[in-house]
Amino acid sequence: MSRVLAVAPALPPHVHSQREITAALGPLLAGDGPRAAARVAAMDRLHRASGVETRHLVLPLDEYAGLGEFGRVNDLFVRLGTDLAAQACTDALHAAGLAPADVDFVLFTSVTGVSAPSIDALLVGRLGLRRDVRRLPSFGLGCVGGAAGIARVHDYLVGHPTDVALLVSVELCSLTLQRGDDSMANAVSTGLFGDGAAAVVMVGAAHPRHGTPGTPHPDGPSPAGPEVRATRSHLYPGTEGDLGWQVEASGFRIVLSAGLPDVIARYLADDVAALLEPYDLKPRDVATWVVHAGGPRILDAVAASLDLDAPALDVSRRSLAAVGNLSSASVLHVLAQTIAQGPAPGGDGVLMAFGPGVSAELVLLRWPGGTGEAS
């Protein structure tokens, strides 16, 4: 077993309403010509229906018109992404009452930029992590990366039960803006995705902190995080072209199928049943749902396939409205908000996200305080 000690979200400082973002970025997609104004108006209607009210951007809004070629944009990703990652990691370690030198393993995930050395390597000297820290950078998991990160960190901690692990997600989705592309996929993504990062501190079952979640830090309390009980991964057949990137000279061009909610509706119930069955649980027994804020249709498909009551996904919908879809960082922001609001002691939870493949990652959680909790 492993336990989440702390989750720290981080957001860049430039926050704008959905209408402001559409007004600034819509013309960059629509281009010139007699139908440009009509295309921007159509984007505005689409963006209003996205469930997003505000988003945080890594650059001032007026700088997106001047973004240059892919190499320059990627340089921005590395520099600004490292800053945001460092903030999230510092906050997470502080909340957990641990020092950078305590960290034994770092898993880094992103799908909105690339670098070698990767951002996790750049964090070693900046944060004061040990030079012998084990690292695993990941690219390509997309929106599923936060859930997959927790699952893979859990796998590591099962084999290294005395260790401390740090999961880091950075997604600067706004830097993937494709000018002159008014396709439906690009219009949807430009109105849905925001910028953000998150860091998660986890410990193995034999670590002294595993059995004492919420141990106060000298400078402030640490919230009580859940224990990870089990994980499940699934690649859905015939969906390779439904979600991902087409990498071009201009950078990352979104691939986004309108049929993605139908894929979730077809497979999710069986996946959740397979995750819960070894623990003699049914969806009705799950008290807390931590779902990637992929968009209103994704959340509706999750609720319908699992027959969830309307309030079950309130935290995910609030996150979507406040910051948009943060790709791999999204489900970690939802987890942080869920922990902050205090789930029922001893309750079971399921964390999930969906990404390119199309893939799903599910994590079974147990909040501290119940009589059946393992230690």
Side-chain angles (χ1 to χ4, degrees), residues 105-110 115 117-121 135-139:
F105 175 67
V106 178
L107 192 155
F108 172 74
T109 187
S110 181
S115 67
S118 50
I119 283 179
D120 50 288
R135 299 181 297 108
L136 184 61
S138 164
F139 175 87

Side-chain angles (χ1 to χ4, degrees), residues 16-318:
H16 298 277
S17 70
Q18 182 76 315
R19 175 170 288 187
E20 290 173 318
I21 294 173
T22 303
L25 302 187
L28 302 182
L29 275 62
D32 300 321
R35 293 193 51 79
R39 288 194 286 264
V40 172
M43 284 182 216
D44 182 61
R45 292 191 295 272
L46 185 67
H47 293 178
R48 290 189 193 192
S50 67
V52 179
E53 297 175 5
T54 57
R55 280 179 287 163
H56 292 249
L57 304 179
V58 75
L59 295 176
L61 196 52
D62 60 3
E63 292 188 13
Y64 286 90
L67 285 180
E69 49 86 31
F70 178 49
R72 176 180 177 274
V73 173
N74 196 69
D75 288 345
L76 289 172
F77 168 82
V78 176
R79 177 169 60 84
L80 300 175
T82 302
D83 291 344
L84 208 57
Q87 176 188 333
C89 293
T90 299
D91 291 347
L93 288 168
H94 178 86
L98 295 171
D102 295 323
V103 176
D104 302 290
F105 175 67
V106 178
L107 192 155
F108 172 74
T109 187
S110 181
V111 75
T112 51
V114 294
S115 67
S118 50
I119 283 179
D120 50 288
L122 301 178
L123 291 173
V124 172
R126 178 149 176 183
L127 296 179
L129 299 171
R130 298 198 317 266
R131 294 290 172 175
D132 66 346
V133 67
R134 297 178 175 91
R135 299 181 297 108
L136 184 61
S138 164
F139 175 87
L141 288 170
C143 295
V144 82
I150 287 178
R152 301 293 79 79
V153 168
H154 168 73
D155 293 343
Y156 170 85
L157 290 171
V158 168
H160 301 82
T162 63
D163 280 9
V164 174
L166 184 63
L167 167 64
V168 189
S169 162
V170 175
E171 301 290 11
L172 305 186
C173 303
S174 70
L175 295 182
T176 69
L177 178 72
Q178 295 292 302
R179 290 172 293 179
D181 176 5
D182 65 346
S183 66
M184 179 60 72
N186 199 38
V188 169
S189 67
T190 303
L192 182 62
F193 289 94
D195 296 341
V200 183
V201 178
M202 297 173 61
V203 294
H207 190 276
R209 295 291 304 279
H210 178 272
T212 56
T215 299
H217 184 274
D219 298 323
S222 172
E227 187 176 70
V228 177
R229 304 182 72 191
T231 69
R232 178 176 173 82
S233 305
H234 195 175
L235 276 167
Y236 300 141
T239 63
E240 294 86 352
D242 286 353
L243 180 64
W245 292 129
Q246 183 175 340
V247 183
E248 301 181 354
S250 60
F252 300 129
R253 187 179 299 275
I254 189 74
V255 175
L256 182 62
S257 168
L260 187 57
D262 297 331
V263 174
I264 293 170
R266 186 181 314 139
Y267 293 106
L268 182 60
D270 289 343
D271 279 342
V272 171
L275 177 75
L276 298 179
E277 192 274 335
Y279 297 87
D280 197 26
L281 296 170
K282 305 289 185 184
R284 64 176 177 271
D285 301 316
V286 176
T288 304
W289 296 92
V290 183
V291 181
H292 159 62
R297 292 185 63 217
I298 298 296
L299 294 176
D300 289 347
V302 170
S305 63
L306 299 176
D307 194 24
L308 301 181
D309 294 335
L313 302 184
D314 278 355
V315 177
S316 296
R317 295 188 191 278
R318 289 198 300 268

